[in-house]
Amino acid sequence: MYTLQIEHGIKDFGMWKAAFDRDPVNRTASGVLAHRISRPVDDPHYVVVELDLASREQAEALLANLQQKVWNSPAAAPALDGAPRTRIVESAG
């Protein structure tokens, strides 16, 4: 199992969540098996998203898709505030 972890600042959670729910990268077709959205308890303008995938290749392809089609588009990511921090991690136990 591989997880694409994404962290970034947001302007407004409701606006961000609506854009996330529109699913511009088609998470299911991209191989996402499950996802989690978290928010720091002391920062309402920050989100942490974890997307679980079966392979590293799927995680890398999804990340490239997000970078090329979503994060550089104000229409697709209207609440994004700054550049996302990302990493792909592998389940280790």
Side-chain angles (χ1 to χ4, degrees), residues 50-81:
E50 295 181 310
L51 305 167
D52 295 333
L53 301 107
S55 75
R56 178 178 177 175
E57 293 76 20
Q58 288 175 313
E60 290 170 344
L62 179 55
L63 176 56
N65 199 7
L66 286 164
Q67 291 168 329
Q68 295 166 7
K69 297 181 180 177
V70 178
W71 296 335
N72 63 359
S73 168
L80 190 64
D81 189 15

PDB file of all heavy atoms in Angstrom, residues 50-81:
ATOM      1  N   GLU A  50      -4.632  12.367   2.683  1.00  0.00           N
ATOM      2  CA  GLU A  50      -3.920  11.127   2.428  1.00  0.00           C
ATOM      3  C   GLU A  50      -4.754  10.288   1.461  1.00  0.00           C
ATOM      4  O   GLU A  50      -5.935  10.033   1.720  1.00  0.00           O
ATOM      5  CB  GLU A  50      -3.679  10.366   3.726  1.00  0.00           C
ATOM      6  CG  GLU A  50      -2.757  11.123   4.663  1.00  0.00           C
ATOM      7  CD  GLU A  50      -2.495  10.378   5.944  1.00  0.00           C
ATOM      8  OE1 GLU A  50      -3.474   9.934   6.585  1.00  0.00           O
ATOM      9  OE2 GLU A  50      -1.316  10.223   6.286  1.00  0.00           O
ATOM     10  N   LEU A  51      -4.130   9.895   0.361  1.00  0.00           N
ATOM     11  CA  LEU A  51      -4.788   9.108  -0.673  1.00  0.00           C
ATOM     12  C   LEU A  51      -4.078   7.760  -0.775  1.00  0.00           C
ATOM     13  O   LEU A  51      -2.881   7.709  -1.070  1.00  0.00           O
ATOM     14  CB  LEU A  51      -4.715   9.843  -2.012  1.00  0.00           C
ATOM     15  CG  LEU A  51      -5.268  11.275  -2.004  1.00  0.00           C
ATOM     16  CD1 LEU A  51      -4.862  12.009  -3.266  1.00  0.00           C
ATOM     17  CD2 LEU A  51      -6.776  11.256  -1.850  1.00  0.00           C
ATOM     18  N   ASP A  52      -4.781   6.685  -0.507  1.00  0.00           N
ATOM     19  CA  ASP A  52      -4.194   5.338  -0.531  1.00  0.00           C
ATOM     20  C   ASP A  52      -4.348   4.716  -1.914  1.00  0.00           C
ATOM     21  O   ASP A  52      -5.441   4.742  -2.492  1.00  0.00           O
ATOM     22  CB  ASP A  52      -4.883   4.433   0.492  1.00  0.00           C
ATOM     23  CG  ASP A  52      -4.665   4.891   1.922  1.00  0.00           C
ATOM     24  OD1 ASP A  52      -3.643   5.546   2.194  1.00  0.00           O
ATOM     25  OD2 ASP A  52      -5.527   4.576   2.769  1.00  0.00           O
ATOM     26  N   LEU A  53      -3.233   4.136  -2.395  1.00  0.00           N
ATOM     27  CA  LEU A  53      -3.210   3.495  -3.703  1.00  0.00           C
ATOM     28  C   LEU A  53      -2.457   2.175  -3.596  1.00  0.00           C
ATOM     29  O   LEU A  53      -1.649   1.987  -2.695  1.00  0.00           O
ATOM     30  CB  LEU A  53      -2.538   4.404  -4.733  1.00  0.00           C
ATOM     31  CG  LEU A  53      -3.221   5.764  -4.893  1.00  0.00           C
ATOM     32  CD1 LEU A  53      -2.399   6.864  -4.283  1.00  0.00           C
ATOM     33  CD2 LEU A  53      -3.510   6.047  -6.334  1.00  0.00           C
ATOM     34  N   ALA A  54      -2.686   1.288  -4.543  1.00  0.00           N
ATOM     35  CA  ALA A  54      -2.062  -0.029  -4.493  1.00  0.00           C
ATOM     36  C   ALA A  54      -0.606  -0.019  -4.943  1.00  0.00           C
ATOM     37  O   ALA A  54       0.175  -0.863  -4.512  1.00  0.00           O
ATOM     38  CB  ALA A  54      -2.851  -1.012  -5.362  1.00  0.00           C
ATOM     39  N   SER A  55      -0.224   0.932  -5.805  1.00  0.00           N
ATOM     40  CA  SER A  55       1.140   0.912  -6.330  1.00  0.00           C
ATOM     41  C   SER A  55       1.786   2.292  -6.291  1.00  0.00           C
ATOM     42  O   SER A  55       1.103   3.322  -6.323  1.00  0.00           O
ATOM     43  CB  SER A  55       1.159   0.391  -7.768  1.00  0.00           C
ATOM     44  OG  SER A  55       0.676   1.359  -8.669  1.00  0.00           O
ATOM     45  N   ARG A  56       3.090   2.272  -6.263  1.00  0.00           N
ATOM     46  CA  ARG A  56       3.865   3.514  -6.303  1.00  0.00           C
ATOM     47  C   ARG A  56       3.618   4.245  -7.633  1.00  0.00           C
ATOM     48  O   ARG A  56       3.507   5.470  -7.661  1.00  0.00           O
ATOM     49  CB  ARG A  56       5.345   3.187  -6.131  1.00  0.00           C
ATOM     50  CG  ARG A  56       6.225   4.396  -6.196  1.00  0.00           C
ATOM     51  CD  ARG A  56       7.668   4.031  -5.978  1.00  0.00           C
ATOM     52  NE  ARG A  56       8.510   5.190  -6.115  1.00  0.00           N
ATOM     53  CZ  ARG A  56       9.808   5.199  -5.886  1.00  0.00           C
ATOM     54  NH1 ARG A  56      10.417   4.102  -5.487  1.00  0.00           N
ATOM     55  NH2 ARG A  56      10.508   6.304  -6.042  1.00  0.00           N
ATOM     56  N   GLU A  57       3.523   3.484  -8.709  1.00  0.00           N
ATOM     57  CA  GLU A  57       3.292   4.082 -10.023  1.00  0.00           C
ATOM     58  C   GLU A  57       1.969   4.846 -10.059  1.00  0.00           C
ATOM     59  O   GLU A  57       1.894   5.936 -10.640  1.00  0.00           O
ATOM     60  CB  GLU A  57       3.328   3.001 -11.113  1.00  0.00           C
ATOM     61  CG  GLU A  57       4.693   2.369 -11.313  1.00  0.00           C
ATOM     62  CD  GLU A  57       5.079   1.354 -10.225  1.00  0.00           C
ATOM     63  OE1 GLU A  57       4.190   0.832  -9.514  1.00  0.00           O
ATOM     64  OE2 GLU A  57       6.290   1.105 -10.086  1.00  0.00           O
ATOM     65  N   GLN A  58       0.934   4.290  -9.444  1.00  0.00           N
ATOM     66  CA  GLN A  58      -0.354   4.988  -9.384  1.00  0.00           C
ATOM     67  C   GLN A  58      -0.227   6.277  -8.584  1.00  0.00           C
ATOM     68  O   GLN A  58      -0.782   7.310  -8.963  1.00  0.00           O
ATOM     69  CB  GLN A  58      -1.419   4.098  -8.745  1.00  0.00           C
ATOM     70  CG  GLN A  58      -1.885   2.961  -9.605  1.00  0.00           C
ATOM     71  CD  GLN A  58      -2.841   2.057  -8.856  1.00  0.00           C
ATOM     72  OE1 GLN A  58      -2.588   1.674  -7.714  1.00  0.00           O
ATOM     73  NE2 GLN A  58      -3.941   1.695  -9.494  1.00  0.00           N
ATOM     74  N   ALA A  59       0.485   6.223  -7.469  1.00  0.00           N
ATOM     75  CA  ALA A  59       0.671   7.416  -6.631  1.00  0.00           C
ATOM     76  C   ALA A  59       1.434   8.488  -7.393  1.00  0.00           C
ATOM     77  O   ALA A  59       1.074   9.672  -7.348  1.00  0.00           O
ATOM     78  CB  ALA A  59       1.392   7.049  -5.335  1.00  0.00           C
ATOM     79  N   GLU A  60       2.484   8.086  -8.100  1.00  0.00           N
ATOM     80  CA  GLU A  60       3.274   9.049  -8.870  1.00  0.00           C
ATOM     81  C   GLU A  60       2.453   9.656 -10.011  1.00  0.00           C
ATOM     82  O   GLU A  60       2.538  10.858 -10.269  1.00  0.00           O
ATOM     83  CB  GLU A  60       4.540   8.383  -9.409  1.00  0.00           C
ATOM     84  CG  GLU A  60       5.533   8.058  -8.310  1.00  0.00           C
ATOM     85  CD  GLU A  60       6.696   7.189  -8.767  1.00  0.00           C
ATOM     86  OE1 GLU A  60       6.612   6.569  -9.867  1.00  0.00           O
ATOM     87  OE2 GLU A  60       7.694   7.109  -8.020  1.00  0.00           O
ATOM     88  N   ALA A  61       1.655   8.837 -10.683  1.00  0.00           N
ATOM     89  CA  ALA A  61       0.810   9.332 -11.779  1.00  0.00           C
ATOM     90  C   ALA A  61      -0.245  10.302 -11.251  1.00  0.00           C
ATOM     91  O   ALA A  61      -0.514  11.340 -11.872  1.00  0.00           O
ATOM     92  CB  ALA A  61       0.158   8.163 -12.507  1.00  0.00           C
ATOM     93  N   LEU A  62      -0.844   9.983 -10.109  1.00  0.00           N
ATOM     94  CA  LEU A  62      -1.848  10.866  -9.530  1.00  0.00           C
ATOM     95  C   LEU A  62      -1.221  12.192  -9.126  1.00  0.00           C
ATOM     96  O   LEU A  62      -1.789  13.262  -9.383  1.00  0.00           O
ATOM     97  CB  LEU A  62      -2.523  10.203  -8.327  1.00  0.00           C
ATOM     98  CG  LEU A  62      -3.575  11.040  -7.605  1.00  0.00           C
ATOM     99  CD1 LEU A  62      -4.667  11.527  -8.551  1.00  0.00           C
ATOM    100  CD2 LEU A  62      -4.167  10.250  -6.452  1.00  0.00           C
ATOM    101  N   LEU A  63      -0.052  12.145  -8.517  1.00  0.00           N
ATOM    102  CA  LEU A  63       0.637  13.378  -8.134  1.00  0.00           C
ATOM    103  C   LEU A  63       0.919  14.235  -9.373  1.00  0.00           C
ATOM    104  O   LEU A  63       0.666  15.446  -9.363  1.00  0.00           O
ATOM    105  CB  LEU A  63       1.933  13.062  -7.388  1.00  0.00           C
ATOM    106  CG  LEU A  63       2.800  14.257  -7.015  1.00  0.00           C
ATOM    107  CD1 LEU A  63       2.044  15.278  -6.185  1.00  0.00           C
ATOM    108  CD2 LEU A  63       4.053  13.771  -6.277  1.00  0.00           C
ATOM    109  N   ALA A  64       1.411  13.633 -10.436  1.00  0.00           N
ATOM    110  CA  ALA A  64       1.685  14.383 -11.669  1.00  0.00           C
ATOM    111  C   ALA A  64       0.402  15.003 -12.217  1.00  0.00           C
ATOM    112  O   ALA A  64       0.398  16.167 -12.658  1.00  0.00           O
ATOM    113  CB  ALA A  64       2.325  13.470 -12.701  1.00  0.00           C
ATOM    114  N   ASN A  65      -0.693  14.264 -12.175  1.00  0.00           N
ATOM    115  CA  ASN A  65      -1.978  14.758 -12.643  1.00  0.00           C
ATOM    116  C   ASN A  65      -2.442  15.956 -11.816  1.00  0.00           C
ATOM    117  O   ASN A  65      -2.910  16.964 -12.358  1.00  0.00           O
ATOM    118  CB  ASN A  65      -2.997  13.619 -12.592  1.00  0.00           C
ATOM    119  CG  ASN A  65      -4.208  13.857 -13.464  1.00  0.00           C
ATOM    120  OD1 ASN A  65      -4.277  14.809 -14.229  1.00  0.00           O
ATOM    121  ND2 ASN A  65      -5.176  12.973 -13.351  1.00  0.00           N
ATOM    122  N   LEU A  66      -2.304  15.865 -10.504  1.00  0.00           N
ATOM    123  CA  LEU A  66      -2.663  16.986  -9.629  1.00  0.00           C
ATOM    124  C   LEU A  66      -1.816  18.214  -9.939  1.00  0.00           C
ATOM    125  O   LEU A  66      -2.332  19.337 -10.018  1.00  0.00           O
ATOM    126  CB  LEU A  66      -2.495  16.587  -8.161  1.00  0.00           C
ATOM    127  CG  LEU A  66      -3.553  15.649  -7.607  1.00  0.00           C
ATOM    128  CD1 LEU A  66      -3.080  15.027  -6.298  1.00  0.00           C
ATOM    129  CD2 LEU A  66      -4.865  16.387  -7.413  1.00  0.00           C
ATOM    130  N   GLN A  67      -0.523  18.015 -10.130  1.00  0.00           N
ATOM    131  CA  GLN A  67       0.377  19.130 -10.404  1.00  0.00           C
ATOM    132  C   GLN A  67       0.063  19.790 -11.744  1.00  0.00           C
ATOM    133  O   GLN A  67       0.089  21.007 -11.856  1.00  0.00           O
ATOM    134  CB  GLN A  67       1.832  18.650 -10.386  1.00  0.00           C
ATOM    135  CG  GLN A  67       2.298  18.269  -8.997  1.00  0.00           C
ATOM    136  CD  GLN A  67       3.627  17.531  -8.995  1.00  0.00           C
ATOM    137  OE1 GLN A  67       3.961  16.806  -9.927  1.00  0.00           O
ATOM    138  NE2 GLN A  67       4.376  17.697  -7.917  1.00  0.00           N
ATOM    139  N   GLN A  68      -0.256  18.995 -12.749  1.00  0.00           N
ATOM    140  CA  GLN A  68      -0.459  19.514 -14.093  1.00  0.00           C
ATOM    141  C   GLN A  68      -1.863  20.056 -14.344  1.00  0.00           C
ATOM    142  O   GLN A  68      -2.028  21.017 -15.085  1.00  0.00           O
ATOM    143  CB  GLN A  68      -0.164  18.421 -15.128  1.00  0.00           C
ATOM    144  CG  GLN A  68       1.279  17.990 -15.135  1.00  0.00           C
ATOM    145  CD  GLN A  68       1.491  16.688 -15.901  1.00  0.00           C
ATOM    146  OE1 GLN A  68       0.589  16.165 -16.538  1.00  0.00           O
ATOM    147  NE2 GLN A  68       2.702  16.159 -15.819  1.00  0.00           N
ATOM    148  N   LYS A  69      -2.875  19.446 -13.718  1.00  0.00           N
ATOM    149  CA  LYS A  69      -4.256  19.781 -14.067  1.00  0.00           C
ATOM    150  C   LYS A  69      -5.056  20.476 -12.977  1.00  0.00           C
ATOM    151  O   LYS A  69      -6.110  21.029 -13.262  1.00  0.00           O
ATOM    152  CB  LYS A  69      -5.001  18.513 -14.480  1.00  0.00           C
ATOM    153  CG  LYS A  69      -4.430  17.871 -15.717  1.00  0.00           C
ATOM    154  CD  LYS A  69      -5.203  16.640 -16.094  1.00  0.00           C
ATOM    155  CE  LYS A  69      -4.617  16.004 -17.342  1.00  0.00           C
ATOM    156  NZ  LYS A  69      -5.291  14.761 -17.693  1.00  0.00           N
ATOM    157  N   VAL A  70      -4.587  20.408 -11.731  1.00  0.00           N
ATOM    158  CA  VAL A  70      -5.409  20.951 -10.651  1.00  0.00           C
ATOM    159  C   VAL A  70      -4.738  22.132  -9.968  1.00  0.00           C
ATOM    160  O   VAL A  70      -5.288  23.236  -9.931  1.00  0.00           O
ATOM    161  CB  VAL A  70      -5.764  19.854  -9.619  1.00  0.00           C
ATOM    162  CG1 VAL A  70      -6.580  20.437  -8.477  1.00  0.00           C
ATOM    163  CG2 VAL A  70      -6.527  18.721 -10.299  1.00  0.00           C
ATOM    164  N   TRP A  71      -3.568  21.919  -9.418  1.00  0.00           N
ATOM    165  CA  TRP A  71      -2.964  22.937  -8.571  1.00  0.00           C
ATOM    166  C   TRP A  71      -2.537  24.194  -9.313  1.00  0.00           C
ATOM    167  O   TRP A  71      -2.366  25.236  -8.707  1.00  0.00           O
ATOM    168  CB  TRP A  71      -1.794  22.359  -7.790  1.00  0.00           C
ATOM    169  CG  TRP A  71      -2.239  21.289  -6.842  1.00  0.00           C
ATOM    170  CD1 TRP A  71      -3.474  21.128  -6.275  1.00  0.00           C
ATOM    171  CD2 TRP A  71      -1.454  20.219  -6.343  1.00  0.00           C
ATOM    172  NE1 TRP A  71      -3.509  20.031  -5.466  1.00  0.00           N
ATOM    173  CE2 TRP A  71      -2.271  19.449  -5.481  1.00  0.00           C
ATOM    174  CE3 TRP A  71      -0.130  19.825  -6.528  1.00  0.00           C
ATOM    175  CZ2 TRP A  71      -1.818  18.324  -4.819  1.00  0.00           C
ATOM    176  CZ3 TRP A  71       0.327  18.701  -5.872  1.00  0.00           C
ATOM    177  CH2 TRP A  71      -0.513  17.964  -5.021  1.00  0.00           C
ATOM    178  N   ASN A  72      -2.383  24.122 -10.615  1.00  0.00           N
ATOM    179  CA  ASN A  72      -2.019  25.320 -11.374  1.00  0.00           C
ATOM    180  C   ASN A  72      -3.237  25.998 -11.992  1.00  0.00           C
ATOM    181  O   ASN A  72      -3.103  26.931 -12.766  1.00  0.00           O
ATOM    182  CB  ASN A  72      -0.980  24.987 -12.453  1.00  0.00           C
ATOM    183  CG  ASN A  72      -1.512  24.014 -13.482  1.00  0.00           C
ATOM    184  OD1 ASN A  72      -2.646  23.564 -13.398  1.00  0.00           O
ATOM    185  ND2 ASN A  72      -0.694  23.693 -14.457  1.00  0.00           N
ATOM    186  N   SER A  73      -4.432  25.532 -11.634  1.00  0.00           N
ATOM    187  CA  SER A  73      -5.671  26.084 -12.177  1.00  0.00           C
ATOM    188  C   SER A  73      -6.517  26.717 -11.079  1.00  0.00           C
ATOM    189  O   SER A  73      -7.059  26.011 -10.229  1.00  0.00           O
ATOM    190  CB  SER A  73      -6.483  24.964 -12.850  1.00  0.00           C
ATOM    191  OG  SER A  73      -7.789  25.411 -13.139  1.00  0.00           O
ATOM    192  N   PRO A  74      -6.653  28.045 -11.093  1.00  0.00           N
ATOM    193  CA  PRO A  74      -7.517  28.686 -10.091  1.00  0.00           C
ATOM    194  C   PRO A  74      -8.960  28.186 -10.138  1.00  0.00           C
ATOM    195  O   PRO A  74      -9.635  28.143  -9.119  1.00  0.00           O
ATOM    196  CB  PRO A  74      -7.435  30.170 -10.451  1.00  0.00           C
ATOM    197  CG  PRO A  74      -6.133  30.306 -11.182  1.00  0.00           C
ATOM    198  CD  PRO A  74      -5.965  29.008 -11.927  1.00  0.00           C
ATOM    199  N   ALA A  75      -9.429  27.764 -11.299  1.00  0.00           N
ATOM    200  CA  ALA A  75     -10.797  27.244 -11.394  1.00  0.00           C
ATOM    201  C   ALA A  75     -10.919  25.883 -10.714  1.00  0.00           C
ATOM    202  O   ALA A  75     -11.917  25.600 -10.057  1.00  0.00           O
ATOM    203  CB  ALA A  75     -11.218  27.139 -12.856  1.00  0.00           C
ATOM    204  N   ALA A  76      -9.900  25.039 -10.847  1.00  0.00           N
ATOM    205  CA  ALA A  76      -9.941  23.697 -10.258  1.00  0.00           C
ATOM    206  C   ALA A  76      -9.572  23.707  -8.783  1.00  0.00           C
ATOM    207  O   ALA A  76     -10.006  22.843  -8.028  1.00  0.00           O
ATOM    208  CB  ALA A  76      -9.011  22.762 -11.020  1.00  0.00           C
ATOM    209  N   ALA A  77      -8.745  24.675  -8.376  1.00  0.00           N
ATOM    210  CA  ALA A  77      -8.285  24.744  -6.977  1.00  0.00           C
ATOM    211  C   ALA A  77      -8.445  26.169  -6.443  1.00  0.00           C
ATOM    212  O   ALA A  77      -7.465  26.837  -6.126  1.00  0.00           O
ATOM    213  CB  ALA A  77      -6.827  24.292  -6.895  1.00  0.00           C
ATOM    214  N   PRO A  78      -9.701  26.644  -6.323  1.00  0.00           N
ATOM    215  CA  PRO A  78      -9.921  28.038  -5.951  1.00  0.00           C
ATOM    216  C   PRO A  78      -9.507  28.397  -4.524  1.00  0.00           C
ATOM    217  O   PRO A  78      -9.259  29.563  -4.231  1.00  0.00           O
ATOM    218  CB  PRO A  78     -11.430  28.215  -6.134  1.00  0.00           C
ATOM    219  CG  PRO A  78     -11.984  26.841  -5.902  1.00  0.00           C
ATOM    220  CD  PRO A  78     -10.948  25.908  -6.477  1.00  0.00           C
ATOM    221  N   ALA A  79      -9.422  27.436  -3.632  1.00  0.00           N
ATOM    222  CA  ALA A  79      -9.120  27.737  -2.231  1.00  0.00           C
ATOM    223  C   ALA A  79      -7.675  27.465  -1.863  1.00  0.00           C
ATOM    224  O   ALA A  79      -7.276  27.686  -0.720  1.00  0.00           O
ATOM    225  CB  ALA A  79     -10.043  26.941  -1.311  1.00  0.00           C
ATOM    226  N   LEU A  80      -6.880  26.994  -2.808  1.00  0.00           N
ATOM    227  CA  LEU A  80      -5.477  26.688  -2.534  1.00  0.00           C
ATOM    228  C   LEU A  80      -4.727  27.968  -2.166  1.00  0.00           C
ATOM    229  O   LEU A  80      -4.843  28.986  -2.834  1.00  0.00           O
ATOM    230  CB  LEU A  80      -4.849  26.041  -3.766  1.00  0.00           C
ATOM    231  CG  LEU A  80      -3.467  25.433  -3.600  1.00  0.00           C
ATOM    232  CD1 LEU A  80      -3.510  24.275  -2.615  1.00  0.00           C
ATOM    233  CD2 LEU A  80      -2.952  24.951  -4.938  1.00  0.00           C
ATOM    234  N   ASP A  81      -3.966  27.898  -1.096  1.00  0.00           N
ATOM    235  CA  ASP A  81      -3.196  29.049  -0.625  1.00  0.00           C
ATOM    236  C   ASP A  81      -1.730  28.629  -0.518  1.00  0.00           C
ATOM    237  O   ASP A  81      -1.313  28.081   0.500  1.00  0.00           O
ATOM    238  CB  ASP A  81      -3.730  29.534   0.720  1.00  0.00           C
ATOM    239  CG  ASP A  81      -3.121  30.850   1.148  1.00  0.00           C
ATOM    240  OD1 ASP A  81      -2.513  31.537   0.301  1.00  0.00           O
ATOM    241  OD2 ASP A  81      -3.256  31.191   2.339  1.00  0.00           O
TER     242      ASP A  81
END
